[in-house]
Amino acid sequence: MQRIGIDELGLSATGLTIIGGRHAMGKTSFLLSLALDMVMHGNPVAIFSLEMSEKQLFSRLLSNICNLPLGEIRYKDELSDSETTQISEAMEKLHGLTLFIDDTANLSVTGLRAKAKRLVREHGVKMIAIDYLQLMSDGENSTPRDSDISKITHSLKELSRELDISVIALLLISSKPEDKICEIQRPGLNDIHKIGSIEQDAETICLIHRPEYYVCHQPDNDGDDIWGKAELIYVKYQNGIGIVDLLFRKEYLRFENYSL
């Protein structure tokens, strides 16, 4: 197993990073993979989950660490001795990590700022992650419109600079009509142009694309197998735009480095 390295991907520096993707691309799984890489290298991380509960995220993290499918952890009636041992060891490892999960619903920017300051001051948190941007409150509307996202991203950018930490926020990109007919269309910067001032506020913007979601097991246009393949598409990055190939282990909801 080759876990993805957040430093290798260039996502650990101070600033606001937006990670976008359409429905079911694995945005939360990618975020958890990044968070685990950070904390396993001794850097405290806080995740603000506005969609999933702390219990749901904890189950995903267990699956990620112990190499047991999430379905087995949640629903299997009887676990073998080896599976029980795997889960127990993973739970012990998780409890030893400086990873904080806050599942407050309709979290406002003001509330996030107060919590982030406390976590940085008391626990030395180096990265905060938000899942996901459109579920945050701007303090006026409980569910902001696209035009209100600008206030949120601008505040997150200021927070990152003030606390000298990395802020990563997930962004849901609306699907296009052609996505429903199994055409593989990579997302691009045009998909987020209409969503507030994200392009201006974020230092880095990456988009996740998994072609296997749209088509069954088959080669891509270059004849390469796409099964499990994922792409991290840099559409705004200080070192230039481009694509990094990753591997998505669906059974563990985990992203790994891609190797032929």
Side-chain angles (χ1 to χ4, degrees), residues 81-257:
D81 290 342
S82 62
E83 289 172 334
T84 301
T85 299
Q86 282 178 264
I87 292 175
S88 297
E89 291 176 350
M91 289 182 68
E92 184 177 351
K93 182 179 290 187
L94 267 177
H95 286 304
L97 297 175
T98 49
L99 178 62
F100 305 92
I101 298 176
D102 186 312
D103 59 2
T104 303
N106 295 323
L107 182 65
S108 68
V109 173
T110 302
L112 173 69
R113 176 180 290 273
K115 293 183 178 185
K117 285 184 176 180
R118 179 178 59 80
L119 286 166
V120 171
R121 182 178 66 251
E122 297 179 3
H123 302 285
V125 163
K126 299 297 183 184
M127 182 182 87
I128 65 170
I130 301 142
D131 184 12
Y132 58 92
L133 197 60
Q134 286 102 323
L135 292 179
M136 284 199 72
S137 164
D138 66 352
E140 299 176 5
N141 301 304
S142 58
T143 305
R145 300 181 303 274
D146 287 346
S147 59
D148 300 317
I149 295 294
S150 299
K151 300 177 185 177
I152 296 175
T153 56
H154 189 68
S155 295
L156 293 179
K157 181 175 184 176
E158 289 183 339
L159 180 65
S160 173
R161 290 181 174 179
E162 179 183 348
L163 300 181
D164 192 30
I165 60 173
S166 174
V167 176
I168 296 181
L170 301 187
L171 176 74
L172 177 62
I173 297 175
S174 299
S175 297
K176 298 178 180 179
E178 60 264 29
D179 294 333
K180 298 179 182 179
I181 57 175
C182 294
E183 292 187 9
I184 307 175
Q185 296 288 337
R186 286 192 180 105
L189 201 54
N190 288 336
D191 290 296
I192 64 171
H193 275 160
K194 61 183 180 180
I195 310 177
S197 59
I198 292 175
E199 186 178 357
Q200 289 73 37
D201 292 330
E203 277 74 23
T204 302
I205 302 175
C206 298
L207 305 176
I208 298 174
H209 179 57
R210 290 196 302 113
E212 71 169 0
Y213 178 78
Y214 300 99
V215 297
C216 295
H217 184 65
Q218 68 179 51
D220 60 14
N221 293 332
D222 297 322
D224 297 323
D225 192 356
I226 65 170
W227 188 254
K229 186 177 179 181
E231 297 175 342
L232 185 65
I233 306 166
Y234 291 78
V235 295
K236 182 182 180 183
Y237 186 46
Q238 60 181 355
N239 293 334
I241 60 176
I243 299 174
V244 174
D245 289 333
L246 298 173
L247 177 67
F248 182 58
R249 299 291 299 275
K250 189 184 301 184
E251 65 273 32
Y252 310 130
L253 297 175
R254 180 177 69 221
F255 283 84
E256 301 175 7
N257 290 325

Side-chain angles (χ1 to χ4, degrees), residues 43-55:
N43 300 301
V45 173
I47 299 175
F48 293 90
S49 177
L50 287 79
E51 184 177 35
M52 296 185 185
S53 67
E54 180 180 3
K55 183 178 180 180

Side-chain angles (χ1 to χ4, degrees), residues 25-38:
M25 288 297 102
K27 296 182 294 297
T28 301
S29 298
F30 183 78
L31 186 64
L32 293 181
S33 295
L34 290 181
L36 281 176
D37 180 72
M38 283 282 286

